[in-house]
Amino acid sequence: MASIRVGDATISYDETGDGPPVLLIHAGIADRRMWRAQLAALRDRHRLIAMDLRGYGESDLPAAPFAHHDDVIGLLDSLGVARAALVGCSFGGAVALDVALAHPGRVTALALFGSALGGHDWSDDAEQLWDDLVGQVDRTDLDAMADAEVRFWVVGPHRQPAEVDPDLLALAREMDRRALAAEAALGDVTQHELDPPAARRLGEIGVPVLVGAGALDVGEIPALADLLAAGIPLARRLPDVPGAAHLLPLERPDEVNAALRDFLATQTN
């Protein structure tokens, strides 16, 4: 683990490999540890940087208003990276999209897995599923909330916990428990968001984009992947990956690594 000062915060990250730079941005229920398989598989061809977003993992909690997309650029600046491909999962995908819109000259390509999208309104079905699995849990009980969120996102609505690798579930609970504590603190600080949001600006994204999702994810996520692929001019939609839910790069690393290797090989700085 390394850390570097970005504005008024210390951002933690892992770095390995040599070649065109690639920055990996974790899901909102996780931290940079979710990219361990990608760091191992792709370091022979790329300079890989997996960051903890501000407040998550081992990065500092914010003390003043901030924007995650500006922190990404601050980290790249501090590391001497002029342009990079961004790989994001879930909330990390939404951050990557915001970076591409707010700082288009700094991004060479995007790869989005189970991506969220700033300004997107969730469907009634997704809201009902959240209420059924998570809504009645005491939000101040972080252990219970982590169990519920892992059930919702990592197990997904189409299988039972016993069908999922217990080591994956244990790591997901550990990461999510820490993320929940971060989100409680983040709620007290202003976060600057794009205006208008990314959901209304997909046509402005001018770099190649790879979009994927797990076949067992919450139904809203593959639908969002379809929306991204249809709305971004240079987007390519991967088939949904069987046997995987929301943390696709962690649960099905071989498929994700193969897709990233092929996609990133066609991109240049």
Side-chain angles (χ1 to χ4, degrees), residues 25-29 34-35 53 56 68 87-101 110-122 152-153 183 193-194 197-200 202 205 209-214 217-229 232 245-249:
I25 311 175
H26 61 79
I29 61 170
M34 70 165 287
W35 299 111
L53 292 169
Y56 291 86
H68 285 302
V87 180
C89 179
S90 188
F91 177 63
V95 173
L97 286 161
D98 285 356
V99 175
L101 288 165
L110 298 173
L112 310 171
F113 298 100
S115 186
L117 173 64
H120 173 73
D121 293 324
W122 286 75
F152 183 89
W153 289 117
E183 288 167 1
E193 299 179 352
L194 293 189
R200 293 163 53 187
L202 296 180
I205 297 173
V209 179
L210 185 70
V211 183
D217 207 338
V218 176
E220 190 89 355
I221 298 302
L224 255 179
D226 291 340
L227 186 153
L228 291 168
I232 298 173
H246 198 54
L247 293 185
L248 183 56

Side-chain angles (χ1 to χ4, degrees), residues 13 39 41 216 228:
Y13 64 97
L39 295 182
L216 300 181
L228 291 168

